[in-house]
Every structure is written in structure tokens, then in C-alpha cells.
Amino acid sequence: MFSSILLQLLLTVSYTASSPIQRRALSQNDIIGLQVASYLENLELSLYTDGCEHITDAQWLAAGSPSTFQNDVCTIAEQQQNQTGYISSTLEDNGISAPQACNYAFSYDSPMTFVRLANQITSIGLGYYLGSLNDFSPALQTVAASLGSVEARHDAIVRNGMGASPFPTNLDVPLSSVWAYNLAQKYITSCPQQLPIDLLPPLAFNGMSDRTLNFGWSPNANNFSTPAGVTGQDLYLAIVHANVSDPAYQKVQTTGQGRGTVELPEGLNGVVYAALTASSGDLTYHELTTTGTLAGPAQLVLS
Ligand SMILES: *[C@@H]1O[C@H](CO)[C@@H](O)[C@H](O)[C@H]1NC(C)=O
Ligand SMILES: *[C@@H]1O[C@H](CO)[C@@H](O)[C@H](O)[C@H]1NC(C)=O
Ligand SMILES: *[C@@H]1O[C@H](CO)[C@@H](O)[C@H](O)[C@H]1NC(C)=O
């Protein structure tokens, strides 16, 4: 005990002496915030590296993408490498090990399926920086915002490559760390370590006809008061869109055990997120995305 205090003191002294400016004390929130950032950046790094290595210039041109596209994807991969390195060294300079990369499953088999996947995954990283900004101490808020604005530029490039508007909405959707971490799980097959964040029961979208959205969840995976959606308990799909202070709560029409539909409200664009909840709308956004989620969230790209 005594020697560890002494050691800490010595380390503090030597750090102070050698690098008085770079050394900053990270709060507990900074540490978990940077660990989630690193976790998400590793996912993006792996995706863009994969795309850079496996899709040729000729394939991009044949798919009708801009002539710079292969180079753009590889430059994004390099920026992801730099961002990941920056976050890791910030953690390591403070004696905290950065999360190692996980094993990922990326289901794409063409340039177009790659850019759609890249839009989905990059939107998660972007939403995370927005949603977690206030959790960081002031010195790191600018860093988080800078990382997030670069994510937004990457996303605009891939959206342009998929023939969609690079700027589909006035506002981007912020994501809590719980939501961002759970959304990332869809692409992860195994991981050397988990972060200390709850894993929520998954929610899966099974297609949409007109504005009727079909989805499913595992009714036994959580603590519904009755077998979910069969009798008794009303369930809602909370749809979080660009106006985050105004989520749409749509009552679920159950179509079977762990299956249901809702009508999507009109006027939604870009990327939205939805979660199954027992609340009809009395939760704050923070409550919904932390304790109020029964299953999900799931991401839906509407335009
Ligand atoms: C990555 O960082 C290195 C070293 O700072 C820099 O030379 C390089 O230009 C950066 N790459 C990109 C794509 O920004
Ligand atoms: C479900 O309920 C059990 C026992 O009441 C509790 O230990 C567990 O943490 C709950 N799980 C969730 C996801 O709320
Ligand atoms: C968001 O929704 C709230 C509540 O309906 C509304 O008061 C506000 O004007 C909306 N904000 C924007 C930017 O549309």
C-alpha cells in the first residue's frame, strides 16, 4: 500500500518534470468516454481498411462512384488509424490501456453494399461524439467535437458515394454511450474484452412496406412484466430522429410472440434510431437511452 502510494507520487513527479503540458489528469468519465471512442474507432478502422484493401479502383468506377473514391476510402482508413492512435496514446499516457480491436463481421459484397454499411457504422461514431460531449471534461470536449466533425465528413463522402444526400437533415442524432455501444455489437463477433456498459436485448428490423415497419425482439431476454407483446403490456417503439427532444412514440401492434409493427411518422429523413420501450413518451431522452430501453436500439436508414 505504502509503496504503491510512493510509486504514484514518484510517477507524478517525474511526469510533471518531463512533460508538464501534455500531461492532463483524466476523470473517470473521460476514461470510459475515450474507451468507448476507441472501441468505435477500431470498428471503423477495420471497416475502411477492409474496403481500401478489397475494392479496386475499377470496381468503384464500374459502380459509378466519383473517380477519387478508392483513394478517398483509403484516406479515411488512414485518418481512422491516426484517430485511433491519438485516442490510445491519450489513454496510455495516463496509465490506462486502450481497448484492443475486436473481431468484426462486415457483410458487403459490392461497392454499393460497402458504402451503405459505411454510412451505418460511421453514423454510430458520429452520434456517439455528439451524445457524449457533455460527459467529457472541458479540455477533452474540443477533442471529442473535432473527432466528431471529421466523422461527419467521412459520412458525407460515403453518402455521396452511395448516391444519397451528404446532408440529409438539419441536425444529426446524438447517441448515448449505451446506445452507441449496443449498436456496434451488430458488427462484432468476439472481443478480447467488454467495456463496463450494459448489453441490451437486440431489436431487429424485418422490412418496411409503405410506412409500416416490421420488427422483432426476443421476448424472454428481458424483464417484461408479461410475455412481451402478447397480452397486457402496451409496448411502444420510440423513434429518435434529428429533433432529439421530440422522439416519436408509436404504439406497437403485436403480430406474434416477439414480433410487431408500427407506422413510421411522416417527414423523417436520414438515419434514425428506434428502441422498444414500455413508456408512451414520458421519459427524457437520457432516461430512454439509458434505463428505458427494453430492446434495441436499432438503426434505420430512411434516406
Ligand atoms: C496521419 O498522421 C501522420 C503523422 O502525423 C500524417 O503524416 C498523415 O498525413 C496523417 N494522415 C491523414 C490521412 O491525415
Ligand atoms: C431482471 O430481473 C432480475 C431479477 O429481478 C435482475 O437481477 C436483472 O438485473 C434484471 N435484468 C434487467 C436487464 O433488468
Ligand atoms: C423539436 O421538437 C420540439 C418539441 O416538439 C419543438 O418545440 C422544437 O421546436 C423542435 N426543434 C426543432 C429544431 O425543430
Side-chain angles (χ1 to χ4, degrees):
M1 167 65 107
F2 181 77
S3 63
S4 91
I5 290 174
L6 187 65
L7 183 65
Q8 252 178 8
L9 199 67
L10 285 172
L11 281 174
T12 309
V13 169
S14 74
Y15 264 115
T16 309
S18 62
S19 53
I21 293 168
Q22 289 89 338
R23 173 105 177 131
R24 66 163 79 95
L26 297 181
S27 70
Q28 204 50 42
N29 278 350
D30 287 337
I31 291 168
I32 182 70
L34 288 174
Q35 284 175 326
V36 177
S38 170
Y39 190 89
L40 298 173
E41 295 282 5
N42 278 332
L43 167 64
E44 291 179 73
L45 170 60
S46 179
L47 171 75
Y48 284 105
T49 304
D50 208 75
C52 170
E53 287 171 357
H54 290 109
I55 307 177
T56 63
D57 201 28
Q59 285 172 311
W60 284 118
L61 292 175
S65 307
S67 63
T68 57
F69 214 77
Q70 207 234 357
N71 191 40
D72 289 344
V73 170
C74 295
T75 303
I76 294 175
E78 194 186 327
Q79 289 190 336
Q80 293 296 152
Q81 181 77 61
N82 284 359
Q83 291 179 327
T84 309
Y86 175 77
I87 296 168
S88 298
S89 57
T90 305
L91 283 165
E92 281 154 13
D93 286 354
N94 283 273
I96 311 288
S97 55
Q100 290 161 41
C102 304
N103 295 307
Y104 308 102
F106 298 127
S107 56
Y108 70 91
D109 55 10
S110 65
M112 280 308 113
T113 47
F114 175 82
V115 280
R116 282 195 213 112
L117 183 63
N119 175 46
Q120 291 164 9
I121 289 177
T122 309
S123 298
I124 300 171
L126 167 58
Y128 169 69
Y129 286 116
L130 290 172
S132 67
L133 204 59
N134 289 330
D135 298 336
F136 286 105
S137 57
L140 278 181
Q141 282 175 357
T142 308
V143 173
S146 310
L147 291 164
S149 65
V150 173
E151 294 300 328
R153 243 166 280 142
H154 293 171
D155 190 51
I157 286 173
V158 294
R159 287 183 59 86
N160 193 42
M162 70 190 221
S165 166
F167 37 51
T169 51
N170 297 317
L171 299 165
D172 285 316
V173 184
L175 297 170
S176 67
S177 54
V178 177
W179 272 29
Y181 186 69
N182 276 274
L183 286 160
Q185 299 307 316
K186 182 174 175 185
Y187 311 102
I188 292 173
T189 53
S190 66
C191 223
Q193 81 268 40
Q194 293 296 329
L195 299 183
I197 294 178
D198 288 342
L199 287 174
L200 302 167
L203 175 75
F205 291 134
N206 301 324
M208 187 157 63
S209 58
D210 287 329
R211 295 212 324 282
T212 304
L213 183 65
N214 280 279
F215 53 93
W217 65 93
S218 172
N220 301 321
N222 45 27
N223 294 344
F224 291 105
S225 57
T226 58
V230 177
T231 50
Q233 189 179 25
D234 282 342
L235 295 174
Y236 296 83
L237 194 72
I239 302 161
V240 174
H241 52 91
N243 185 348
V244 77
S245 57
D246 190 28
Y249 285 80
Q250 301 295 85
K251 192 162 170 187
V252 175
Q253 306 298 314
T254 52
T255 53
Q257 177 91 356
R259 279 182 294 128
T261 63
V262 296
E263 290 300 300
L264 273 188
E266 285 188 64
L268 301 183
N269 286 309
V271 179
V272 302
Y273 299 89
L276 195 68
T277 178
S279 162
S280 61
D282 51 356
L283 300 177
T284 64
Y285 182 61
H286 179 74
E287 288 165 344
L288 171 67
T289 63
T290 51
T291 55
T293 299
L294 292 175
Q299 184 191 55
L300 195 56
V301 179
L302 294 174
S303 64

PDB file of all heavy atoms in Angstrom, residues 208-228:
ATOM      1  N   MET A 208     -39.961  -3.072 -44.438  1.00  0.00           N
ATOM      2  CA  MET A 208     -40.936  -1.994 -44.340  1.00  0.00           C
ATOM      3  C   MET A 208     -41.780  -2.019 -45.599  1.00  0.00           C
ATOM      4  O   MET A 208     -41.254  -2.162 -46.698  1.00  0.00           O
ATOM      5  CB  MET A 208     -40.179  -0.657 -44.233  1.00  0.00           C
ATOM      6  CG  MET A 208     -41.066   0.511 -43.965  1.00  0.00           C
ATOM      7  SD  MET A 208     -40.166   1.887 -43.203  1.00  0.00           S
ATOM      8  CE  MET A 208     -39.003   2.333 -44.445  1.00  0.00           C
ATOM      9  N   SER A 209     -43.115  -1.937 -45.460  1.00  0.00           N
ATOM     10  CA  SER A 209     -43.945  -1.769 -46.653  1.00  0.00           C
ATOM     11  C   SER A 209     -44.785  -0.515 -46.442  1.00  0.00           C
ATOM     12  O   SER A 209     -45.411  -0.356 -45.395  1.00  0.00           O
ATOM     13  CB  SER A 209     -44.842  -2.993 -46.879  1.00  0.00           C
ATOM     14  OG  SER A 209     -45.658  -3.218 -45.764  1.00  0.00           O
ATOM     15  N   ASP A 210     -44.787   0.350 -47.442  1.00  0.00           N
ATOM     16  CA  ASP A 210     -45.277   1.726 -47.256  1.00  0.00           C
ATOM     17  C   ASP A 210     -44.574   2.314 -46.042  1.00  0.00           C
ATOM     18  O   ASP A 210     -43.365   2.330 -46.007  1.00  0.00           O
ATOM     19  CB  ASP A 210     -46.795   1.764 -47.121  1.00  0.00           C
ATOM     20  CG  ASP A 210     -47.458   1.502 -48.450  1.00  0.00           C
ATOM     21  OD1 ASP A 210     -46.870   1.861 -49.480  1.00  0.00           O
ATOM     22  OD2 ASP A 210     -48.561   0.912 -48.461  1.00  0.00           O
ATOM     23  N   ARG A 211     -45.320   2.728 -45.050  1.00  0.00           N
ATOM     24  CA  ARG A 211     -44.647   3.234 -43.845  1.00  0.00           C
ATOM     25  C   ARG A 211     -44.823   2.269 -42.673  1.00  0.00           C
ATOM     26  O   ARG A 211     -44.573   2.627 -41.533  1.00  0.00           O
ATOM     27  CB  ARG A 211     -45.170   4.633 -43.503  1.00  0.00           C
ATOM     28  CG  ARG A 211     -44.817   5.672 -44.578  1.00  0.00           C
ATOM     29  CD  ARG A 211     -44.592   7.049 -43.987  1.00  0.00           C
ATOM     30  NE  ARG A 211     -45.484   7.330 -42.880  1.00  0.00           N
ATOM     31  CZ  ARG A 211     -46.763   7.689 -43.031  1.00  0.00           C
ATOM     32  NH1 ARG A 211     -47.284   7.784 -44.235  1.00  0.00           N
ATOM     33  NH2 ARG A 211     -47.499   7.948 -41.968  1.00  0.00           N
ATOM     34  N   THR A 212     -45.231   1.033 -42.940  1.00  0.00           N
ATOM     35  CA  THR A 212     -45.379   0.063 -41.857  1.00  0.00           C
ATOM     36  C   THR A 212     -44.071  -0.687 -41.656  1.00  0.00           C
ATOM     37  O   THR A 212     -43.586  -1.374 -42.562  1.00  0.00           O
ATOM     38  CB  THR A 212     -46.512  -0.941 -42.183  1.00  0.00           C
ATOM     39  OG1 THR A 212     -47.698  -0.205 -42.423  1.00  0.00           O
ATOM     40  CG2 THR A 212     -46.719  -1.905 -41.017  1.00  0.00           C
ATOM     41  N   LEU A 213     -43.536  -0.525 -40.482  1.00  0.00           N
ATOM     42  CA  LEU A 213     -42.236  -1.113 -40.158  1.00  0.00           C
ATOM     43  C   LEU A 213     -42.458  -2.396 -39.365  1.00  0.00           C
ATOM     44  O   LEU A 213     -43.186  -2.409 -38.372  1.00  0.00           O
ATOM     45  CB  LEU A 213     -41.471  -0.088 -39.309  1.00  0.00           C
ATOM     46  CG  LEU A 213     -40.063  -0.420 -38.883  1.00  0.00           C
ATOM     47  CD1 LEU A 213     -39.158  -0.523 -40.100  1.00  0.00           C
ATOM     48  CD2 LEU A 213     -39.553   0.679 -37.945  1.00  0.00           C
ATOM     49  N   ASN A 214     -41.825  -3.484 -39.841  1.00  0.00           N
ATOM     50  CA  ASN A 214     -41.899  -4.784 -39.155  1.00  0.00           C
ATOM     51  C   ASN A 214     -40.639  -4.994 -38.352  1.00  0.00           C
ATOM     52  O   ASN A 214     -39.542  -4.773 -38.852  1.00  0.00           O
ATOM     53  CB  ASN A 214     -41.948  -5.909 -40.189  1.00  0.00           C
ATOM     54  CG  ASN A 214     -43.319  -6.074 -40.758  1.00  0.00           C
ATOM     55  OD1 ASN A 214     -44.168  -6.709 -40.135  1.00  0.00           O
ATOM     56  ND2 ASN A 214     -43.549  -5.492 -41.925  1.00  0.00           N
ATOM     57  N   PHE A 215     -40.795  -5.480 -37.133  1.00  0.00           N
ATOM     58  CA  PHE A 215     -39.587  -5.730 -36.346  1.00  0.00           C
ATOM     59  C   PHE A 215     -39.819  -6.855 -35.348  1.00  0.00           C
ATOM     60  O   PHE A 215     -40.954  -7.264 -35.095  1.00  0.00           O
ATOM     61  CB  PHE A 215     -39.119  -4.453 -35.641  1.00  0.00           C
ATOM     62  CG  PHE A 215     -40.185  -3.799 -34.821  1.00  0.00           C
ATOM     63  CD1 PHE A 215     -40.316  -4.101 -33.478  1.00  0.00           C
ATOM     64  CD2 PHE A 215     -41.070  -2.912 -35.398  1.00  0.00           C
ATOM     65  CE1 PHE A 215     -41.310  -3.518 -32.711  1.00  0.00           C
ATOM     66  CE2 PHE A 215     -42.073  -2.328 -34.645  1.00  0.00           C
ATOM     67  CZ  PHE A 215     -42.191  -2.630 -33.305  1.00  0.00           C
ATOM     68  N   GLY A 216     -38.710  -7.360 -34.818  1.00  0.00           N
ATOM     69  CA  GLY A 216     -38.789  -8.460 -33.868  1.00  0.00           C
ATOM     70  C   GLY A 216     -37.803  -8.284 -32.739  1.00  0.00           C
ATOM     71  O   GLY A 216     -36.811  -7.579 -32.868  1.00  0.00           O
ATOM     72  N   TRP A 217     -38.095  -8.931 -31.624  1.00  0.00           N
ATOM     73  CA  TRP A 217     -37.198  -8.898 -30.469  1.00  0.00           C
ATOM     74  C   TRP A 217     -37.338 -10.227 -29.749  1.00  0.00           C
ATOM     75  O   TRP A 217     -38.229 -11.019 -30.059  1.00  0.00           O
ATOM     76  CB  TRP A 217     -37.578  -7.718 -29.563  1.00  0.00           C
ATOM     77  CG  TRP A 217     -38.930  -7.837 -28.926  1.00  0.00           C
ATOM     78  CD1 TRP A 217     -39.234  -8.359 -27.703  1.00  0.00           C
ATOM     79  CD2 TRP A 217     -40.189  -7.444 -29.498  1.00  0.00           C
ATOM     80  NE1 TRP A 217     -40.593  -8.312 -27.475  1.00  0.00           N
ATOM     81  CE2 TRP A 217     -41.199  -7.751 -28.559  1.00  0.00           C
ATOM     82  CE3 TRP A 217     -40.568  -6.856 -30.720  1.00  0.00           C
ATOM     83  CZ2 TRP A 217     -42.560  -7.504 -28.790  1.00  0.00           C
ATOM     84  CZ3 TRP A 217     -41.918  -6.618 -30.944  1.00  0.00           C
ATOM     85  CH2 TRP A 217     -42.891  -6.931 -29.994  1.00  0.00           C
ATOM     86  N   SER A 218     -36.462 -10.466 -28.811  1.00  0.00           N
ATOM     87  CA  SER A 218     -36.514 -11.716 -28.078  1.00  0.00           C
ATOM     88  C   SER A 218     -37.306 -11.491 -26.795  1.00  0.00           C
ATOM     89  O   SER A 218     -36.833 -10.826 -25.885  1.00  0.00           O
ATOM     90  CB  SER A 218     -35.086 -12.166 -27.777  1.00  0.00           C
ATOM     91  OG  SER A 218     -35.135 -13.261 -26.919  1.00  0.00           O
ATOM     92  N   PRO A 219     -38.536 -12.010 -26.701  1.00  0.00           N
ATOM     93  CA  PRO A 219     -39.404 -11.632 -25.582  1.00  0.00           C
ATOM     94  C   PRO A 219     -38.932 -12.168 -24.241  1.00  0.00           C
ATOM     95  O   PRO A 219     -39.381 -11.697 -23.200  1.00  0.00           O
ATOM     96  CB  PRO A 219     -40.758 -12.231 -25.959  1.00  0.00           C
ATOM     97  CG  PRO A 219     -40.481 -13.241 -26.989  1.00  0.00           C
ATOM     98  CD  PRO A 219     -39.193 -12.894 -27.655  1.00  0.00           C
ATOM     99  N   ASN A 220     -38.023 -13.140 -24.247  1.00  0.00           N
ATOM    100  CA  ASN A 220     -37.575 -13.696 -22.971  1.00  0.00           C
ATOM    101  C   ASN A 220     -36.279 -13.078 -22.484  1.00  0.00           C
ATOM    102  O   ASN A 220     -35.789 -13.392 -21.422  1.00  0.00           O
ATOM    103  CB  ASN A 220     -37.385 -15.203 -23.093  1.00  0.00           C
ATOM    104  CG  ASN A 220     -38.676 -15.866 -23.510  1.00  0.00           C
ATOM    105  OD1 ASN A 220     -39.748 -15.472 -23.046  1.00  0.00           O
ATOM    106  ND2 ASN A 220     -38.591 -16.826 -24.417  1.00  0.00           N
ATOM    107  N   ALA A 221     -35.704 -12.193 -23.289  1.00  0.00           N
ATOM    108  CA  ALA A 221     -34.361 -11.702 -22.970  1.00  0.00           C
ATOM    109  C   ALA A 221     -34.358 -10.613 -21.915  1.00  0.00           C
ATOM    110  O   ALA A 221     -33.324 -10.166 -21.491  1.00  0.00           O
ATOM    111  CB  ALA A 221     -33.689 -11.184 -24.233  1.00  0.00           C
ATOM    112  N   ASN A 222     -35.509 -10.137 -21.511  1.00  0.00           N
ATOM    113  CA  ASN A 222     -35.513  -9.043 -20.542  1.00  0.00           C
ATOM    114  C   ASN A 222     -36.695  -9.193 -19.609  1.00  0.00           C
ATOM    115  O   ASN A 222     -37.417 -10.170 -19.652  1.00  0.00           O
ATOM    116  CB  ASN A 222     -35.518  -7.718 -21.281  1.00  0.00           C
ATOM    117  CG  ASN A 222     -36.515  -7.726 -22.410  1.00  0.00           C
ATOM    118  OD1 ASN A 222     -37.503  -8.458 -22.341  1.00  0.00           O
ATOM    119  ND2 ASN A 222     -36.271  -6.949 -23.434  1.00  0.00           N
ATOM    120  N   ASN A 223     -36.905  -8.224 -18.770  1.00  0.00           N
ATOM    121  CA  ASN A 223     -37.863  -8.374 -17.689  1.00  0.00           C
ATOM    122  C   ASN A 223     -39.196  -7.708 -18.012  1.00  0.00           C
ATOM    123  O   ASN A 223     -39.605  -6.792 -17.333  1.00  0.00           O
ATOM    124  CB  ASN A 223     -37.270  -7.770 -16.412  1.00  0.00           C
ATOM    125  CG  ASN A 223     -36.066  -8.562 -15.966  1.00  0.00           C
ATOM    126  OD1 ASN A 223     -35.861  -9.679 -16.407  1.00  0.00           O
ATOM    127  ND2 ASN A 223     -35.293  -7.982 -15.080  1.00  0.00           N
ATOM    128  N   PHE A 224     -39.853  -8.149 -19.043  1.00  0.00           N
ATOM    129  CA  PHE A 224     -41.195  -7.656 -19.301  1.00  0.00           C
ATOM    130  C   PHE A 224     -42.111  -8.182 -18.192  1.00  0.00           C
ATOM    131  O   PHE A 224     -41.938  -9.291 -17.711  1.00  0.00           O
ATOM    132  CB  PHE A 224     -41.703  -8.162 -20.655  1.00  0.00           C
ATOM    133  CG  PHE A 224     -40.993  -7.564 -21.819  1.00  0.00           C
ATOM    134  CD1 PHE A 224     -40.062  -8.300 -22.521  1.00  0.00           C
ATOM    135  CD2 PHE A 224     -41.250  -6.264 -22.208  1.00  0.00           C
ATOM    136  CE1 PHE A 224     -39.398  -7.757 -23.614  1.00  0.00           C
ATOM    137  CE2 PHE A 224     -40.593  -5.713 -23.295  1.00  0.00           C
ATOM    138  CZ  PHE A 224     -39.671  -6.453 -23.996  1.00  0.00           C
ATOM    139  N   SER A 225     -43.123  -7.417 -17.843  1.00  0.00           N
ATOM    140  CA  SER A 225     -43.995  -7.856 -16.756  1.00  0.00           C
ATOM    141  C   SER A 225     -44.921  -8.986 -17.208  1.00  0.00           C
ATOM    142  O   SER A 225     -45.393  -9.771 -16.415  1.00  0.00           O
ATOM    143  CB  SER A 225     -44.810  -6.678 -16.213  1.00  0.00           C
ATOM    144  OG  SER A 225     -45.544  -6.096 -17.264  1.00  0.00           O
ATOM    145  N   THR A 226     -45.194  -9.074 -18.489  1.00  0.00           N
ATOM    146  CA  THR A 226     -45.927 -10.228 -19.019  1.00  0.00           C
ATOM    147  C   THR A 226     -45.147 -10.668 -20.242  1.00  0.00           C
ATOM    148  O   THR A 226     -44.327  -9.915 -20.747  1.00  0.00           O
ATOM    149  CB  THR A 226     -47.350  -9.844 -19.466  1.00  0.00           C
ATOM    150  OG1 THR A 226     -47.221  -8.827 -20.452  1.00  0.00           O
ATOM    151  CG2 THR A 226     -48.192  -9.337 -18.322  1.00  0.00           C
ATOM    152  N   PRO A 227     -45.417 -11.881 -20.761  1.00  0.00           N
ATOM    153  CA  PRO A 227     -44.735 -12.241 -22.012  1.00  0.00           C
ATOM    154  C   PRO A 227     -44.946 -11.116 -23.019  1.00  0.00           C
ATOM    155  O   PRO A 227     -46.072 -10.747 -23.314  1.00  0.00           O
ATOM    156  CB  PRO A 227     -45.446 -13.526 -22.437  1.00  0.00           C
ATOM    157  CG  PRO A 227     -45.942 -14.104 -21.156  1.00  0.00           C
ATOM    158  CD  PRO A 227     -46.304 -12.922 -20.282  1.00  0.00           C
ATOM    159  N   ALA A 228     -43.869 -10.543 -23.468  1.00  0.00           N
ATOM    160  CA  ALA A 228     -43.933  -9.240 -24.109  1.00  0.00           C
ATOM    161  C   ALA A 228     -44.821  -9.227 -25.327  1.00  0.00           C
ATOM    162  O   ALA A 228     -44.704 -10.054 -26.206  1.00  0.00           O
ATOM    163  CB  ALA A 228     -42.536  -8.801 -24.515  1.00  0.00           C
TER     164      ALA A 228
END
